């Protein structure tokens, strides 16, 4: 659905039956009620992925899915 090629690799937001899955590699970092909520955790560096979350404050990632690539 949505993809963001970040400095540490590719984040994806994928629509599944139970909600929007925030994926990095083959790991799901959360299931959300909307793509906006999933993208917000990436934007806020609150994903649970230590490599990503430790980059907080070093740059500004896309704020919402409209700034991600559609796939």
């Amino acid at each position: 659905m949505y993809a963001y090629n970040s400095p540490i690799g590719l984040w994806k937001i994928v629509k599944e039956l139970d909600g929007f899955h925030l994926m990095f590699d083959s790991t799901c970092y959360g299931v959300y009620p909307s793509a906006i909520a999933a993208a917000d955790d990436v934007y806020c560096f609150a994903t649970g992925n230590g490599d990503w979350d430790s980059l907080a404050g070093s740059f500004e990632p896309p704020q919402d899915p409209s700034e991600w690539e559609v796939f």
Side-chain angles (χ1 to χ4, degrees):
M1 221 168 143
Y2 299 98
Y4 166 50
N5 193 14
S6 77
I8 66 161
L10 186 64
W11 285 101
K12 291 182 181 179
I13 300 172
V14 180
K15 173 73 170 126
E16 299 289 348
L17 291 176
D18 60 344
F20 292 84
H21 290 218
L22 179 61
M23 304 294 298
F24 187 84
D25 291 331
S26 61
T27 303
C28 179
Y29 283 91
V31 179
Y32 300 83
S34 69
I36 292 170
D40 190 54
D41 271 3
V42 174
Y43 177 74
C44 293
F45 297 92
T47 64
N49 177 309
D51 291 338
W52 175 255
D53 295 349
S54 68
L55 295 175
S58 61
F59 66 97
E60 189 170 329
Q63 189 166 0
D64 65 60
S66 69
E67 300 172 33
W68 292 44
E69 291 182 46
V70 176
F71 69 93

